[in-house]
Amino acid sequence: MIVVDKKKYKMAINEVAKEVHVQVHGLMKEEDVEGYMIDLQETINKVSRQQYTFVVDGTHQTPVPSKVVPQLEQTMQFYSSLGFKDILVVKPSSKIAQVQVRNALERIKFTGTFIDKVNHSM
């Protein structure tokens, strides 16, 4: 069930699989972040986080400028702090973005799983 469908991002709740999916398209700009955070909070408040897996689908994420890499780390750290049962991060199709995300996850000592693709997409 798609909960949020905006130009830059989508959010969905899969009650059968007990998953919350977020998917970012392209590069998130500073002016998009506030709306994204509000939508994210509203979406995750609809589920019992301890019973759900949080899936960050980075398939369509584009490489970020080097000055934005710290925000990428902060975002992944934030996702890790939300209290979900598990976190899956889907590798971006862009090899450069994939390396950026992998490096960010390593730097924050990410405890979730970095996967090639998600079994059921939005």
Side-chain angles (χ1 to χ4, degrees):
M1 164 178 90
I2 292 194
V3 180
V4 178
D5 191 357
K6 303 256 171 101
K7 183 179 169 196
K8 284 282 185 182
Y9 57 89
K10 293 180 182 178
M11 298 178 188
I13 297 172
N14 182 330
E15 292 174 352
V16 176
K18 291 207 175 297
E19 293 176 343
V20 173
H21 287 245
V22 295
Q23 185 179 66
V24 174
H25 291 266
L27 176 64
M28 190 76 91
K29 294 198 169 104
E30 204 170 319
E31 58 267 21
D32 302 320
V33 173
E34 187 178 349
Y36 176 82
M37 295 306 286
I38 291 167
D39 288 336
L40 178 64
Q41 201 62 55
E42 288 175 359
T43 301
I44 65 177
N45 284 344
K46 294 176 181 175
V47 302
S48 173
R49 296 181 211 173
Q50 299 81 7
Q51 297 173 1
Y52 273 70
T53 296
F54 189 65
V55 180
V56 181
D57 187 347
T59 305
H60 305 290
Q61 184 174 324
T62 55
V64 298
S66 56
K67 66 180 186 193
V68 181
V69 168
Q71 281 90 329
L72 183 61
E73 288 177 31
Q74 290 167 5
T75 302
M76 293 302 173
Q77 187 71 57
F78 173 72
Y79 289 156
S80 297
S81 72
L82 292 175
F84 280 91
K85 178 178 85 172
D86 194 13
I87 300 176
L88 303 177
V89 176
V90 181
K91 293 177 182 174
S93 49
S94 157
K95 293 290 183 204
I96 295 169
Q98 205 176 102
V99 169
Q100 288 178 323
V101 171
R102 187 192 66 222
N103 290 346
L105 295 175
E106 285 175 2
R107 282 192 290 272
I108 65 161
K109 298 180 176 33
F110 181 65
T111 57
T113 310
F114 197 36
I115 60 174
D116 290 326
K117 63 183 177 154
V118 68
N119 292 335
H120 26 73
S121 63
M122 289 195 272

